[in-house]
mmCIF file of all heavy atoms in Angstrom:
data_model
loop_
_atom_site.group_PDB
_atom_site.id
_atom_site.type_symbol
_atom_site.label_atom_id
_atom_site.label_comp_id
_atom_site.label_asym_id
_atom_site.label_seq_id
_atom_site.Cartn_x
_atom_site.Cartn_y
_atom_site.Cartn_z
ATOM 1 N N TYR A 29 -6.549 -5.340 3.073
ATOM 2 C CA TYR A 29 -6.261 -4.141 3.861
ATOM 3 C C TYR A 29 -6.909 -4.266 5.232
ATOM 4 O O TYR A 29 -8.121 -4.413 5.343
ATOM 5 C CB TYR A 29 -6.775 -2.890 3.140
ATOM 6 C CG TYR A 29 -6.112 -1.632 3.601
ATOM 7 C CD1 TYR A 29 -4.936 -1.197 3.003
ATOM 8 C CD2 TYR A 29 -6.641 -0.879 4.631
ATOM 9 C CE1 TYR A 29 -4.306 -0.041 3.416
ATOM 10 C CE2 TYR A 29 -6.007 0.283 5.051
ATOM 11 C CZ TYR A 29 -4.842 0.699 4.442
ATOM 12 O OH TYR A 29 -4.224 1.842 4.853
ATOM 13 N N GLN A 30 -6.106 -4.248 6.258
ATOM 14 C CA GLN A 30 -6.528 -4.319 7.656
ATOM 15 C C GLN A 30 -7.950 -4.818 7.856
ATOM 16 O O GLN A 30 -8.242 -5.963 7.624
ATOM 17 C CB GLN A 30 -6.272 -2.972 8.317
ATOM 18 C CG GLN A 30 -4.782 -2.677 8.368
ATOM 19 C CD GLN A 30 -4.438 -1.235 8.598
ATOM 20 O OE1 GLN A 30 -5.288 -0.385 8.782
ATOM 21 N NE2 GLN A 30 -3.171 -0.930 8.591
ATOM 22 N N THR A 31 -8.868 -3.985 8.255
ATOM 23 C CA THR A 31 -10.221 -4.428 8.605
ATOM 24 C C THR A 31 -11.142 -4.614 7.393
ATOM 25 O O THR A 31 -12.317 -4.891 7.563
ATOM 26 C CB THR A 31 -10.880 -3.414 9.566
ATOM 27 O OG1 THR A 31 -10.928 -2.143 8.903
ATOM 28 C CG2 THR A 31 -10.085 -3.288 10.848
ATOM 29 N N PHE A 32 -10.616 -4.490 6.185
ATOM 30 C CA PHE A 32 -11.450 -4.570 4.989
ATOM 31 C C PHE A 32 -11.650 -5.995 4.485
ATOM 32 O O PHE A 32 -12.466 -6.225 3.606
ATOM 33 C CB PHE A 32 -10.861 -3.707 3.871
ATOM 34 C CG PHE A 32 -11.148 -2.253 4.026
ATOM 35 C CD1 PHE A 32 -10.521 -1.505 5.013
ATOM 36 C CD2 PHE A 32 -12.059 -1.621 3.201
ATOM 37 C CE1 PHE A 32 -10.793 -0.163 5.174
ATOM 38 C CE2 PHE A 32 -12.348 -0.276 3.344
ATOM 39 C CZ PHE A 32 -11.706 0.458 4.341
ATOM 40 N N GLY A 33 -10.888 -6.959 5.011
ATOM 41 C CA GLY A 33 -11.002 -8.328 4.514
ATOM 42 C C GLY A 33 -10.708 -8.351 3.029
ATOM 43 O O GLY A 33 -9.701 -7.820 2.584
ATOM 44 N N THR A 34 -11.617 -8.938 2.239
ATOM 45 C CA THR A 34 -11.408 -9.016 0.788
ATOM 46 C C THR A 34 -12.316 -8.052 0.013
ATOM 47 O O THR A 34 -12.558 -8.242 -1.174
ATOM 48 C CB THR A 34 -11.651 -10.454 0.285
ATOM 49 O OG1 THR A 34 -12.986 -10.826 0.618
ATOM 50 C CG2 THR A 34 -10.662 -11.439 0.891
ATOM 51 N N LYS A 35 -12.804 -7.018 0.681
ATOM 52 C CA LYS A 35 -13.730 -6.092 -0.001
ATOM 53 C C LYS A 35 -13.079 -5.389 -1.187
ATOM 54 O O LYS A 35 -13.712 -5.214 -2.231
ATOM 55 C CB LYS A 35 -14.314 -5.094 0.986
ATOM 56 C CG LYS A 35 -15.316 -5.743 1.929
ATOM 57 C CD LYS A 35 -16.061 -4.744 2.796
ATOM 58 C CE LYS A 35 -17.112 -5.480 3.610
ATOM 59 N NZ LYS A 35 -18.074 -4.586 4.234
ATOM 60 N N CYS A 36 -11.825 -4.985 -1.058
ATOM 61 C CA CYS A 36 -11.159 -4.309 -2.179
ATOM 62 C C CYS A 36 -10.933 -5.277 -3.338
ATOM 63 O O CYS A 36 -11.086 -4.914 -4.503
ATOM 64 C CB CYS A 36 -9.850 -3.676 -1.717
ATOM 65 S SG CYS A 36 -10.089 -2.367 -0.484
ATOM 66 N N GLU A 37 -10.591 -6.545 -3.018
ATOM 67 C CA GLU A 37 -10.439 -7.558 -4.066
ATOM 68 C C GLU A 37 -11.761 -7.804 -4.780
ATOM 69 O O GLU A 37 -11.784 -8.015 -5.989
ATOM 70 C CB GLU A 37 -9.951 -8.887 -3.471
ATOM 71 C CG GLU A 37 -8.529 -8.855 -2.966
ATOM 72 C CD GLU A 37 -8.411 -8.447 -1.500
ATOM 73 O OE1 GLU A 37 -9.169 -7.570 -1.040
ATOM 74 O OE2 GLU A 37 -7.563 -9.008 -0.817
ATOM 75 N N THR A 38 -12.857 -7.777 -4.027
ATOM 76 C CA THR A 38 -14.186 -7.970 -4.619
ATOM 77 C C THR A 38 -14.488 -6.869 -5.624
ATOM 78 O O THR A 38 -14.995 -7.131 -6.717
ATOM 79 C CB THR A 38 -15.264 -8.011 -3.518
ATOM 80 O OG1 THR A 38 -14.988 -9.103 -2.655
ATOM 81 C CG2 THR A 38 -16.663 -8.149 -4.101
ATOM 82 N N ILE A 39 -14.149 -5.638 -5.279
ATOM 83 C CA ILE A 39 -14.364 -4.510 -6.195
ATOM 84 C C ILE A 39 -13.550 -4.713 -7.468
ATOM 85 O O ILE A 39 -14.074 -4.604 -8.578
ATOM 86 C CB ILE A 39 -14.016 -3.172 -5.509
ATOM 87 C CG1 ILE A 39 -15.023 -2.884 -4.399
ATOM 88 C CG2 ILE A 39 -13.968 -2.034 -6.517
ATOM 89 C CD1 ILE A 39 -14.605 -1.794 -3.432
ATOM 90 N N ALA A 40 -12.267 -5.041 -7.324
ATOM 91 C CA ALA A 40 -11.404 -5.265 -8.492
ATOM 92 C C ALA A 40 -11.942 -6.409 -9.348
ATOM 93 O O ALA A 40 -11.981 -6.319 -10.580
ATOM 94 C CB ALA A 40 -9.967 -5.558 -8.034
ATOM 95 N N SER A 41 -12.388 -7.467 -8.698
ATOM 96 C CA SER A 41 -12.918 -8.634 -9.404
ATOM 97 C C SER A 41 -14.191 -8.280 -10.173
ATOM 98 O O SER A 41 -14.364 -8.675 -11.336
ATOM 99 C CB SER A 41 -13.181 -9.741 -8.386
ATOM 100 O OG SER A 41 -13.761 -10.849 -9.005
ATOM 101 N N ASP A 42 -15.084 -7.536 -9.549
ATOM 102 C CA ASP A 42 -16.308 -7.107 -10.226
ATOM 103 C C ASP A 42 -15.993 -6.229 -11.427
ATOM 104 O O ASP A 42 -16.600 -6.376 -12.500
ATOM 105 C CB ASP A 42 -17.218 -6.318 -9.270
ATOM 106 C CG ASP A 42 -17.953 -7.202 -8.277
ATOM 107 O OD1 ASP A 42 -17.733 -8.425 -8.273
ATOM 108 O OD2 ASP A 42 -18.760 -6.647 -7.491
ATOM 109 N N LEU A 43 -15.047 -5.304 -11.270
ATOM 110 C CA LEU A 43 -14.697 -4.397 -12.362
ATOM 111 C C LEU A 43 -14.117 -5.165 -13.550
ATOM 112 O O LEU A 43 -14.494 -4.911 -14.693
ATOM 113 C CB LEU A 43 -13.723 -3.323 -11.879
ATOM 114 C CG LEU A 43 -14.287 -2.304 -10.879
ATOM 115 C CD1 LEU A 43 -13.183 -1.376 -10.383
ATOM 116 C CD2 LEU A 43 -15.426 -1.491 -11.487
ATOM 117 N N ILE A 44 -13.219 -6.116 -13.289
ATOM 118 C CA ILE A 44 -12.618 -6.867 -14.403
ATOM 119 C C ILE A 44 -13.659 -7.767 -15.067
ATOM 120 O O ILE A 44 -13.678 -7.928 -16.277
ATOM 121 C CB ILE A 44 -11.364 -7.668 -13.972
ATOM 122 C CG1 ILE A 44 -10.605 -8.183 -15.202
ATOM 123 C CG2 ILE A 44 -11.689 -8.828 -13.065
ATOM 124 C CD1 ILE A 44 -10.028 -7.136 -16.089
ATOM 125 N N SER A 45 -14.549 -8.308 -14.278
ATOM 126 C CA SER A 45 -15.586 -9.183 -14.814
ATOM 127 C C SER A 45 -16.492 -8.424 -15.789
ATOM 128 O O SER A 45 -16.739 -8.879 -16.909
ATOM 129 C CB SER A 45 -16.403 -9.758 -13.651
ATOM 130 O OG SER A 45 -17.476 -10.511 -14.138
ATOM 131 N N VAL A 46 -16.962 -7.257 -15.390
ATOM 132 C CA VAL A 46 -17.851 -6.469 -16.254
ATOM 133 C C VAL A 46 -17.083 -5.935 -17.466
ATOM 134 O O VAL A 46 -17.579 -5.984 -18.587
ATOM 135 C CB VAL A 46 -18.508 -5.311 -15.457
ATOM 136 C CG1 VAL A 46 -19.236 -4.355 -16.391
ATOM 137 C CG2 VAL A 46 -19.467 -5.869 -14.412
ATOM 138 N N ALA A 47 -15.869 -5.457 -17.248
ATOM 139 C CA ALA A 47 -15.074 -4.919 -18.358
ATOM 140 C C ALA A 47 -14.834 -5.993 -19.418
ATOM 141 O O ALA A 47 -15.004 -5.752 -20.611
ATOM 142 C CB ALA A 47 -13.749 -4.366 -17.834
ATOM 143 N N THR A 48 -14.475 -7.190 -18.980
ATOM 144 C CA THR A 48 -14.202 -8.290 -19.907
ATOM 145 C C THR A 48 -15.469 -8.711 -20.638
ATOM 146 O O THR A 48 -15.460 -8.921 -21.858
ATOM 147 C CB THR A 48 -13.595 -9.487 -19.136
ATOM 148 O OG1 THR A 48 -12.436 -9.026 -18.446
ATOM 149 C CG2 THR A 48 -13.218 -10.605 -20.070
ATOM 150 N N LYS A 49 -16.567 -8.804 -19.907
ATOM 151 C CA LYS A 49 -17.848 -9.194 -20.511
ATOM 152 C C LYS A 49 -18.264 -8.197 -21.585
ATOM 153 O O LYS A 49 -18.878 -8.568 -22.583
ATOM 154 C CB LYS A 49 -18.914 -9.291 -19.411
ATOM 155 C CG LYS A 49 -20.249 -9.864 -19.879
ATOM 156 C CD LYS A 49 -21.235 -9.946 -18.740
ATOM 157 C CE LYS A 49 -21.835 -8.579 -18.522
ATOM 158 N NZ LYS A 49 -22.671 -8.426 -17.365
ATOM 159 N N ASN A 50 -17.923 -6.925 -21.397
ATOM 160 C CA ASN A 50 -18.300 -5.880 -22.349
ATOM 161 C C ASN A 50 -17.276 -5.686 -23.461
ATOM 162 O O ASN A 50 -17.335 -4.713 -24.194
ATOM 163 C CB ASN A 50 -18.505 -4.549 -21.622
ATOM 164 C CG ASN A 50 -19.714 -4.583 -20.717
ATOM 165 O OD1 ASN A 50 -20.587 -5.438 -20.862
ATOM 166 N ND2 ASN A 50 -19.771 -3.672 -19.777
ATOM 167 N N GLY A 51 -16.299 -6.590 -23.563
ATOM 168 C CA GLY A 51 -15.316 -6.496 -24.635
ATOM 169 C C GLY A 51 -14.109 -5.655 -24.303
ATOM 170 O O GLY A 51 -13.274 -5.379 -25.165
ATOM 171 N N GLY A 52 -14.001 -5.220 -23.056
ATOM 172 C CA GLY A 52 -12.830 -4.448 -22.622
ATOM 173 C C GLY A 52 -11.888 -5.355 -21.853
ATOM 174 O O GLY A 52 -11.707 -6.512 -22.196
ATOM 175 N N GLY A 53 -11.316 -4.829 -20.784
ATOM 176 C CA GLY A 53 -10.411 -5.621 -19.966
ATOM 177 C C GLY A 53 -9.741 -4.771 -18.917
ATOM 178 O O GLY A 53 -10.154 -3.634 -18.683
ATOM 179 N N GLY A 54 -8.728 -5.324 -18.290
ATOM 180 C CA GLY A 54 -8.013 -4.600 -17.253
ATOM 181 C C GLY A 54 -6.547 -4.927 -17.288
ATOM 182 O O GLY A 54 -6.134 -5.961 -17.829
ATOM 183 N N ARG A 55 -5.743 -4.035 -16.729
ATOM 184 C CA ARG A 55 -4.308 -4.306 -16.619
ATOM 185 C C ARG A 55 -3.751 -3.566 -15.415
ATOM 186 O O ARG A 55 -4.186 -2.461 -15.089
ATOM 187 C CB ARG A 55 -3.557 -3.912 -17.884
ATOM 188 C CG ARG A 55 -3.590 -2.433 -18.180
ATOM 189 C CD ARG A 55 -2.938 -2.096 -19.507
ATOM 190 N NE ARG A 55 -3.098 -0.671 -19.776
ATOM 191 C CZ ARG A 55 -2.155 0.091 -20.280
ATOM 192 N NH1 ARG A 55 -0.974 -0.408 -20.585
ATOM 193 N NH2 ARG A 55 -2.376 1.372 -20.491
ATOM 194 N N ASN A 56 -2.810 -4.215 -14.756
ATOM 195 C CA ASN A 56 -2.138 -3.595 -13.633
ATOM 196 C C ASN A 56 -1.071 -2.648 -14.166
ATOM 197 O O ASN A 56 -0.212 -3.060 -14.941
ATOM 198 C CB ASN A 56 -1.501 -4.654 -12.733
ATOM 199 C CG ASN A 56 -2.549 -5.455 -11.999
ATOM 200 O OD1 ASN A 56 -3.528 -4.906 -11.504
ATOM 201 N ND2 ASN A 56 -2.364 -6.757 -11.932
ATOM 202 N N ILE A 57 -1.145 -1.395 -13.746
ATOM 203 C CA ILE A 57 -0.179 -0.390 -14.174
ATOM 204 C C ILE A 57 0.947 -0.303 -13.144
ATOM 205 O O ILE A 57 2.113 -0.200 -13.487
ATOM 206 C CB ILE A 57 -0.860 0.992 -14.333
ATOM 207 C CG1 ILE A 57 -2.055 0.909 -15.288
ATOM 208 C CG2 ILE A 57 0.146 2.048 -14.791
ATOM 209 C CD1 ILE A 57 -1.729 0.567 -16.720
ATOM 210 N N VAL A 58 0.577 -0.306 -11.873
ATOM 211 C CA VAL A 58 1.549 -0.265 -10.778
ATOM 212 C C VAL A 58 1.166 -1.365 -9.800
ATOM 213 O O VAL A 58 -0.003 -1.509 -9.447
ATOM 214 C CB VAL A 58 1.545 1.107 -10.055
ATOM 215 C CG1 VAL A 58 2.507 1.101 -8.881
ATOM 216 C CG2 VAL A 58 1.892 2.229 -11.027
ATOM 217 N N ILE A 59 2.139 -2.146 -9.372
ATOM 218 C CA ILE A 59 1.908 -3.222 -8.407
ATOM 219 C C ILE A 59 2.508 -2.804 -7.073
ATOM 220 O O ILE A 59 3.614 -2.259 -7.031
ATOM 221 C CB ILE A 59 2.589 -4.541 -8.869
ATOM 222 C CG1 ILE A 59 2.090 -4.951 -10.250
ATOM 223 C CG2 ILE A 59 2.359 -5.649 -7.852
ATOM 224 C CD1 ILE A 59 0.657 -5.372 -10.317
ATOM 225 N N ASN A 60 1.789 -3.095 -5.991
ATOM 226 C CA ASN A 60 2.267 -2.699 -4.666
ATOM 227 C C ASN A 60 3.570 -3.414 -4.319
ATOM 228 O O ASN A 60 3.827 -4.525 -4.765
ATOM 229 C CB ASN A 60 1.195 -2.979 -3.620
ATOM 230 C CG ASN A 60 1.057 -4.449 -3.294
ATOM 231 O OD1 ASN A 60 1.879 -5.006 -2.585
ATOM 232 N ND2 ASN A 60 0.008 -5.080 -3.801
ATOM 233 N N HIS A 61 4.377 -2.759 -3.526
ATOM 234 C CA HIS A 61 5.641 -3.331 -3.030
ATOM 235 C C HIS A 61 5.714 -3.095 -1.529
ATOM 236 O O HIS A 61 6.364 -2.149 -1.084
ATOM 237 C CB HIS A 61 6.840 -2.689 -3.734
ATOM 238 C CG HIS A 61 6.921 -3.000 -5.182
ATOM 239 N ND1 HIS A 61 7.323 -4.233 -5.649
ATOM 240 C CD2 HIS A 61 6.628 -2.253 -6.277
ATOM 241 C CE1 HIS A 61 7.282 -4.224 -6.974
ATOM 242 N NE2 HIS A 61 6.861 -3.039 -7.373
ATOM 243 N N PRO A 62 5.043 -3.945 -0.732
ATOM 244 C CA PRO A 62 4.982 -3.713 0.714
ATOM 245 C C PRO A 62 6.348 -3.618 1.390
ATOM 246 O O PRO A 62 6.494 -2.928 2.379
ATOM 247 C CB PRO A 62 4.212 -4.918 1.251
ATOM 248 C CG PRO A 62 3.515 -5.504 0.083
ATOM 249 C CD PRO A 62 4.300 -5.129 -1.136
#
C-alpha cells in the first residue's frame, strides 16, 4: 500500500506465524481485485 512498503504484509505474516505455532491457522476469505 502506497507509502506503507511491506508493513501490512509483515502484520499478516506475524499473525499467521503465531496462529500456526499455536495450533490454529489462517485463511483468505476475500482476495483483493485491483
Side-chain angles (χ1 to χ4, degrees):
Y29 201 88
Q30 295 162 3
T31 60
F32 281 72
T34 59
K35 288 188 175 193
C36 296
E37 291 90 323
T38 299
I39 292 166
S41 177
D42 284 3
L43 292 175
I44 192 64
S45 175
V46 170
T48 304
K49 188 179 80 188
N50 292 342
R55 64 185 176 139
N56 290 318
I57 305 295
V58 177
I59 303 292
N60 75 76
H61 294 285

